[in-house]
Amino acid sequence: MNDAVYPPVRHLYEKQGSLFHPTPLARGPWNPEHQGGMQLAGLLAHLIETAPAPAPMLAARMTVDILRPTPVQPLEAHIRVVRDGRKVQMLEASLCADRIVTVRASVLRSRTAESPGTAGMDWPEDPPEAPPFFSDRSQLARIADTRLVSGGLAHEGPGSMWCAFDGEIVRGAPITPFVQAMMVADMGSGVSSFVDWREWSFANLDVTLHLLRMPEGAWLKLDAASFSAGNGVAVVSGKIADRRGTVGRTHQTLFLEPRQRPGRLQSDPPK
């Protein structure tokens, strides 16, 4: 990778005053002038994590809506409490570029307590020696160790991958297990692509993460599958686990459209 073009930073954003400035690692896969949904979801998860809770709570559900492309420029963040209680708390967070909201999140926190569990939660497996999901040409390879088990952009159909992040979401703030889970939730469409990425774009309009518990350890595994009725819309459904077992479920809504005319196809996947 050309460090003269992409400085060797290991954080996605840098906070200066009240604004979050994106680094080159925040650029998205489809258009270098826009920030990536995965990175924006991670920043929103970081912001939510900094909001105080009235009791020990789990972020049981987080939904990110991508309202419009987010340009590569400083972002203003807003957080508000919609409902505050000892059992349930609801939060909203948004990111603005030039005072226009480009992406927002809603979060449901639920108090945690001892209760009966369910069977079938184990997923005893370790990350295999496998090709990376992010190639050496990808900027995100600086902070993410990925192992593609199956699927991916070059193989249509369901897919599976492992991922471990070793970087910072904002300078000075490491990528926590919750932030990592939210970022991994955004990877389902690329792991389980069902169309030729050279002919079709399939940017996601949203991403939802339902957590059963907070992830543990460095590695997370994602199993994902994409479904479409052939009408320009698709849904991605996935399962996230750590080495101890199942952590949660993920969902994405995709918007499909032709990328460019035949005969002018790119040669490298959008990573």
Side-chain angles (χ1 to χ4, degrees):
M1 185 176 296
N2 189 348
D3 286 341
V5 178
Y6 300 120
V9 296
R10 292 182 55 78
H11 56 281
L12 298 175
Y13 295 92
E14 185 163 343
K15 189 174 183 182
Q16 299 179 14
S18 62
L19 298 178
F20 291 90
H21 292 249
T23 70
L25 300 186
R27 295 180 185 272
W30 299 109
N31 188 331
E33 296 181 357
H34 298 157
Q35 298 184 46
M38 181 189 75
Q39 296 90 323
L40 293 167
L43 178 58
L44 286 168
H46 167 70
L47 295 171
I48 291 297
E49 220 170 20
T50 64
M57 288 185 165
L58 172 71
R61 188 264 301 153
M62 178 169 174
T63 297
V64 175
D65 292 311
I66 300 172
L67 305 180
R68 51 179 52 84
T70 301
V72 180
Q73 67 182 61
L75 301 176
E76 183 180 0
H78 300 276
I79 303 177
R80 77 182 186 100
V81 178
V82 178
R83 176 189 174 185
D84 211 11
R86 291 184 300 170
K87 294 183 178 180
V88 174
Q89 183 189 56
M90 297 188 69
L91 304 168
E92 287 184 352
S94 60
L95 298 172
C96 303
D98 290 331
R99 298 185 179 180
I100 298 175
V101 178
T102 63
V103 59
R104 66 185 180 190
S106 61
V107 178
L108 172 67
R109 282 173 165 172
S110 176
R111 69 93 181 92
T112 56
E114 291 293 330
S115 67
T118 59
M121 301 293 291
D122 294 335
W123 198 349
E125 194 171 351
D126 288 330
E129 290 296 329
F133 178 69
F134 293 135
S135 70
D136 292 339
R137 295 184 298 276
S138 171
Q139 301 173 59
L140 290 174
R142 296 187 188 280
I143 63 170
D145 186 356
T146 54
R147 311 286 175 84
L148 183 63
V149 180
S150 61
L153 292 169
H155 303 280
E156 298 176 11
S160 179
M161 64 169 288
W162 285 87
C163 181
F165 282 97
D166 182 19
E168 299 176 329
I169 184 67
V170 178
R171 182 192 286 271
I175 296 176
T176 64
F178 177 57
V179 172
Q180 176 171 343
M182 196 66 229
M183 294 174 70
V184 169
D186 188 76
M187 298 182 186
S189 57
V191 172
S192 63
S193 61
F194 69 101
V195 293
D196 191 330
W197 62 266
R198 295 166 298 183
E199 298 180 359
W200 292 90
S201 69
F202 42 93
N204 56 301
L205 301 175
D206 64 9
V207 55
T208 297
L209 171 67
H210 283 93
L211 280 181
L212 294 165
R213 60 176 174 83
M214 199 58 68
E216 300 175 4
W219 288 94
L220 289 181
K221 186 183 181 186
L222 171 66
D223 279 357
S226 296
F227 307 91
S228 177
N231 56 357
V233 179
V235 173
V236 182
S237 180
K239 178 170 67 171
I240 293 181
D242 56 19
R243 290 182 174 181
R244 180 181 140 197
T246 303
V247 168
R249 299 278 181 171
T250 72
H251 300 279
Q252 294 172 279
T253 304
L254 307 184
F255 180 83
L256 282 79
E257 64 178 351
R259 290 196 69 186
Q260 48 195 318
R261 293 191 300 273
R264 297 180 57 192
L265 303 182
Q266 299 182 15
S267 58
D268 294 328
K271 293 184 181 179

